């Protein structure tokens, strides 16, 4: 096992002694509802409906990973500063500010027009690997556009992207320097309540692994295994390929690019920022009332 994974497991784990039968028996002895209670106790919060559902359906091995993830996420959480929190939501603040100055035109297909995309790219300093400024070719812009709709801050109306009343209230809050309301809304958009069960499950697991500082280079394989272990497999019983899962997770990945201002995957060995980890934890814990 790689050293970084050994550091991730729960305290007391002895790599020199392991019995599959003993481990399985110990976890099976813990009922699904007791596992949910453990999550609540470890995290000092209620698990989100999706996380609770995943635990109820999880195999014993997946239960261990989920419980360990919640425990580590809470134990090693570092509260971001006010400046770090403000920087984490800067992309949303920027787009809300642009909409406050006037509606942004949309194409017939419902995408932002190239001039608007270009303005967002320039304002945020988004790195691009192509010259095209069509929204579908610039995934961070696409994710920002969609997440603002999910948050209820803006909507499509008569060929334009316009602020809603909720968005107008956000403009006033931003002007007053009160960014607190944006934080839970961004967290909620990471795991949208109205998406399909499979998409919510994939994005919940992704957020939980980020919150627990799971090693970036092993993230995708672990998501594949967890999704299989909570009951979603290919017809032949094999775990789903990442290319089947990735499209459901990518919107959250792009949102975290805005939070951390990376625009690309984090380099191997680089940790997510405290703000990203706390936001990810809020996404899987704070949604209990959604």
């Amino acid at each position: 096992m790689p050293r970084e994974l050994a550091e991730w497991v729960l305290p007391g784990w002895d790599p020199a002694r392991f019995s599959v039968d003993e481990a399985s028996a110990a976890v099976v002895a813990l009922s699904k509802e007791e596992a949910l209670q453990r999550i609540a106790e470890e995290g000092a919060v209620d698990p989100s409906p999706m996380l609770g559902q995943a635990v109820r359906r999880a195999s014993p091995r997946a239960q261990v990973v989920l419980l360990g993830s919640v425990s580590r996420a809470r134990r090693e959480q570092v509260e971001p500063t006010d400046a770090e929190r403000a920087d984490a939501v800067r992309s949303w603040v920027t787009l809300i500010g642009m909409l406050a100055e006037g509606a942004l035109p949309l194409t017939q297909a419902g995408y932002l027009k190239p001039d608007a995309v270009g303005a967002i790219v320039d304002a945020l300093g988004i790195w691009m690997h192509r010259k095209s400024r069509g929204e579908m070719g610039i995934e961070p812009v696409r994710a920002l556009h969609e997440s603002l709709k999910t948050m209820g801050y803006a909507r499509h109306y008569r060929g334009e992207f316009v602020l809603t009343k909720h968005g107008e209230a956000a403009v006033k809050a931003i002007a007053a320097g009160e960014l607190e309301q944006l934080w839970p809304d961004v967290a909620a958009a990471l795991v949208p309540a109205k998406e399909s069960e499979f998409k919510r499950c994939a994005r919940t697991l992704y957020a939980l692994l980020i919150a627990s500082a799971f090693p970036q280079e092993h993230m995708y394989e672990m998501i594949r295994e967890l999704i299989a272990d909570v009951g979603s497999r290919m017809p032949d019983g094999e775990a789903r390929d990442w290319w089947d899962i990735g499209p459901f997770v990518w919107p959250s990945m792009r949102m975290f690019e805005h939070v951390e201002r990376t625009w690309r995957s984090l380099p191997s060995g680089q940790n997510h920022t405290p703000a990203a980890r706390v936001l990810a934890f809020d996404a899987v814990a704070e949604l209990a009332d959604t």
Side-chain angles (χ1 to χ4, degrees):
M1 174 181 285
R3 177 174 297 177
E4 57 270 28
L5 285 186
E7 294 174 350
W8 179 81
V9 298
L10 289 170
W13 179 73
D14 182 3
R17 183 183 182 281
F18 180 76
S19 165
V20 174
D21 292 337
E22 288 180 11
S24 296
V27 177
V28 169
L30 180 68
S31 74
K32 305 293 186 180
E33 294 306 319
E34 286 175 327
L36 289 172
Q37 181 62 33
R38 281 275 301 281
I39 285 180
E41 291 171 354
E42 291 281 3
V45 291
D46 289 330
S48 71
M50 190 68 252
L51 181 55
Q53 193 175 119
V55 171
R56 290 187 180 95
R57 293 166 48 184
S59 68
R61 190 183 75 103
Q63 269 197 341
V64 171
V65 175
L66 293 172
L67 287 168
S69 296
V70 173
S71 177
R72 180 179 172 88
R74 188 66 179 180
R75 186 175 67 249
E76 299 195 4
Q77 196 173 85
V78 177
E79 182 63 27
T81 65
D82 290 343
E84 288 172 333
R85 282 179 174 266
D87 196 49
V89 299
R90 183 153 65 92
S91 291
W92 289 273
V93 169
T94 299
L95 184 51
I96 291 170
M98 293 174 66
L99 290 170
E101 295 177 358
L104 297 179
L106 299 166
T107 66
Q108 289 187 342
Y111 303 120
L112 293 169
K113 288 190 174 181
D115 286 348
V117 172
I120 295 170
V121 167
D122 293 341
L124 297 177
I126 295 175
W127 177 88
M128 300 189 306
H129 67 279
R130 62 179 71 182
K131 293 183 178 180
S132 170
R133 294 213 164 184
E135 182 181 340
M136 285 302 290
I138 306 175
E139 293 179 358
V141 173
R142 179 68 177 155
L144 187 62
H145 175 185
E146 290 300 317
S147 64
L148 210 63
K149 289 195 297 180
T150 300
M151 292 160 65
Y153 284 27
R155 66 188 180 102
H156 292 183
Y157 179 71
R158 294 185 177 180
E160 294 181 318
F161 194 39
V162 301
L163 287 174
T164 61
K165 289 184 178 179
H166 190 35
E168 292 171 353
V171 171
K172 295 178 181 178
I174 292 168
E178 301 169 356
L179 302 181
E180 294 83 1
Q181 74 177 65
L182 268 69
W183 188 270
D185 289 339
V186 173
L190 286 167
V191 187
K194 295 183 180 180
E195 295 289 356
S196 69
E197 180 180 324
F198 181 78
K199 185 171 184 177
R200 286 186 291 120
C201 182
R203 292 176 72 165
T204 293
L205 295 175
Y206 177 70
L208 180 57
L209 291 178
I210 286 181
S212 65
F214 192 83
Q216 183 75 13
E217 57 267 39
H218 303 290
M219 181 85 71
Y220 303 150
E221 185 60 30
M222 179 54 73
I223 292 175
R224 286 184 66 240
E225 293 181 12
L226 283 175
I227 286 178
D229 283 352
V230 298
S232 181
R233 294 177 176 270
M234 299 295 286
D236 61 3
E238 293 295 318
R240 292 178 180 270
D241 187 84
W242 172 248
W243 293 107
D244 295 325
I245 300 169
F248 296 96
V249 178
W250 287 336
S252 289
M253 293 173 63
R254 302 308 175 195
M255 287 179 67
F256 278 110
E257 289 180 1
H258 284 284
V259 172
E260 302 184 286
R261 317 200 66 74
T262 55
W263 316 127
R264 285 179 281 184
S265 297
L266 288 176
S268 178
Q270 182 173 330
N271 295 325
H272 286 280
T273 64
R277 290 180 57 191
V278 171
L279 188 68
F281 187 80
D282 288 350
V284 299
E286 200 170 59
L287 295 182
D289 295 329
T290 299

